[in-house]
Short mmCIF file of all heavy atoms in Angstrom, two decimals:
data_model
loop_
_atom_site.label_atom_id
_atom_site.label_comp_id
_atom_site.label_asym_id
_atom_site.label_seq_id
_atom_site.Cartn_x
_atom_site.Cartn_y
_atom_site.Cartn_z
N LEU A 60 2.76 -28.30 -10.19
CA LEU A 60 1.68 -27.71 -11.00
C LEU A 60 1.62 -26.21 -10.80
O LEU A 60 1.89 -25.71 -9.71
CB LEU A 60 0.33 -28.34 -10.61
CG LEU A 60 0.17 -29.84 -10.91
CD1 LEU A 60 -1.16 -30.34 -10.37
CD2 LEU A 60 0.28 -30.11 -12.40
N ASP A 61 1.24 -25.50 -11.84
CA ASP A 61 1.12 -24.04 -11.78
C ASP A 61 -0.16 -23.67 -11.05
O ASP A 61 -1.26 -24.02 -11.48
CB ASP A 61 1.11 -23.49 -13.21
CG ASP A 61 1.06 -21.98 -13.22
OD1 ASP A 61 -0.04 -21.43 -13.07
OD2 ASP A 61 2.13 -21.36 -13.38
N LEU A 62 -0.03 -22.94 -9.92
CA LEU A 62 -1.20 -22.61 -9.10
C LEU A 62 -2.22 -21.78 -9.86
O LEU A 62 -3.42 -22.02 -9.78
CB LEU A 62 -0.75 -21.87 -7.83
CG LEU A 62 -1.88 -21.45 -6.87
CD1 LEU A 62 -2.64 -22.66 -6.38
CD2 LEU A 62 -1.32 -20.65 -5.72
N SER A 63 -1.76 -20.78 -10.63
CA SER A 63 -2.72 -19.93 -11.34
C SER A 63 -3.51 -20.73 -12.37
O SER A 63 -4.70 -20.49 -12.57
CB SER A 63 -2.00 -18.75 -12.00
OG SER A 63 -1.08 -19.21 -12.96
N GLN A 64 -2.86 -21.71 -13.03
CA GLN A 64 -3.58 -22.55 -13.98
C GLN A 64 -4.59 -23.43 -13.25
O GLN A 64 -5.70 -23.63 -13.73
CB GLN A 64 -2.60 -23.43 -14.76
CG GLN A 64 -1.78 -22.66 -15.78
CD GLN A 64 -0.80 -23.56 -16.50
OE1 GLN A 64 -0.70 -24.75 -16.23
NE2 GLN A 64 -0.06 -22.98 -17.43
N GLN A 65 -4.19 -23.95 -12.09
CA GLN A 65 -5.10 -24.79 -11.32
C GLN A 65 -6.33 -23.99 -10.86
O GLN A 65 -7.45 -24.47 -10.94
CB GLN A 65 -4.39 -25.41 -10.11
CG GLN A 65 -3.40 -26.49 -10.47
CD GLN A 65 -4.06 -27.62 -11.24
OE1 GLN A 65 -5.07 -28.16 -10.83
NE2 GLN A 65 -3.48 -27.96 -12.39
N LEU A 66 -6.09 -22.77 -10.37
CA LEU A 66 -7.20 -21.95 -9.88
C LEU A 66 -8.14 -21.53 -10.98
O LEU A 66 -9.29 -21.20 -10.73
CB LEU A 66 -6.65 -20.73 -9.14
CG LEU A 66 -5.94 -21.03 -7.82
CD1 LEU A 66 -5.31 -19.78 -7.24
CD2 LEU A 66 -6.89 -21.66 -6.82
N ALA A 67 -7.66 -21.53 -12.22
CA ALA A 67 -8.52 -21.16 -13.35
C ALA A 67 -9.46 -22.29 -13.75
O ALA A 67 -10.41 -22.07 -14.49
CB ALA A 67 -7.65 -20.75 -14.54
N GLN A 68 -9.21 -23.50 -13.25
CA GLN A 68 -10.03 -24.65 -13.60
C GLN A 68 -11.21 -24.79 -12.64
O GLN A 68 -11.16 -24.33 -11.51
CB GLN A 68 -9.19 -25.93 -13.56
CG GLN A 68 -8.06 -25.92 -14.58
CD GLN A 68 -7.28 -27.21 -14.56
OE1 GLN A 68 -7.79 -28.26 -14.17
NE2 GLN A 68 -6.03 -27.15 -14.99
N ASP A 69 -12.26 -25.47 -13.13
CA ASP A 69 -13.44 -25.70 -12.28
C ASP A 69 -13.09 -26.57 -11.08
O ASP A 69 -13.61 -26.38 -9.99
CB ASP A 69 -14.55 -26.39 -13.09
CG ASP A 69 -15.21 -25.41 -14.05
OD1 ASP A 69 -15.14 -24.19 -13.80
OD2 ASP A 69 -15.79 -25.88 -15.05
N LYS A 70 -12.21 -27.56 -11.30
CA LYS A 70 -11.84 -28.48 -10.23
C LYS A 70 -10.32 -28.48 -10.10
O LYS A 70 -9.64 -29.36 -10.64
CB LYS A 70 -12.36 -29.88 -10.54
CG LYS A 70 -13.88 -29.94 -10.57
CD LYS A 70 -14.37 -31.31 -10.95
CE LYS A 70 -15.90 -31.33 -11.00
NZ LYS A 70 -16.41 -32.63 -11.42
N PRO A 71 -9.76 -27.51 -9.41
CA PRO A 71 -8.31 -27.43 -9.29
C PRO A 71 -7.75 -28.54 -8.41
O PRO A 71 -8.43 -29.05 -7.54
CB PRO A 71 -8.07 -26.06 -8.64
CG PRO A 71 -9.32 -25.79 -7.88
CD PRO A 71 -10.44 -26.42 -8.69
N ILE A 72 -6.49 -28.89 -8.68
CA ILE A 72 -5.78 -29.85 -7.83
C ILE A 72 -4.95 -29.02 -6.87
O ILE A 72 -4.02 -28.33 -7.28
CB ILE A 72 -4.87 -30.77 -8.67
CG1 ILE A 72 -5.71 -31.58 -9.65
CG2 ILE A 72 -4.06 -31.69 -7.76
CD1 ILE A 72 -4.89 -32.38 -10.63
N LEU A 73 -5.30 -29.09 -5.59
CA LEU A 73 -4.57 -28.33 -4.58
C LEU A 73 -4.01 -29.27 -3.54
O LEU A 73 -4.52 -30.36 -3.32
CB LEU A 73 -5.51 -27.30 -3.93
CG LEU A 73 -6.08 -26.27 -4.90
CD1 LEU A 73 -7.12 -25.43 -4.21
CD2 LEU A 73 -4.99 -25.39 -5.46
N THR A 74 -2.96 -28.83 -2.87
CA THR A 74 -2.31 -29.67 -1.86
C THR A 74 -3.12 -29.68 -0.57
O THR A 74 -3.99 -28.84 -0.37
CB THR A 74 -0.90 -29.13 -1.58
OG1 THR A 74 -1.00 -27.77 -1.23
CG2 THR A 74 -0.03 -29.27 -2.80
#
Side-chain angles (χ1 to χ4, degrees):
L60 295 176
D61 183 278
L62 180 60
S63 62
Q64 287 178 359
Q65 289 302 309
L66 292 174
Q68 297 182 26
D69 286 337
K70 295 177 181 178
I72 298 173
L73 299 172
T74 55

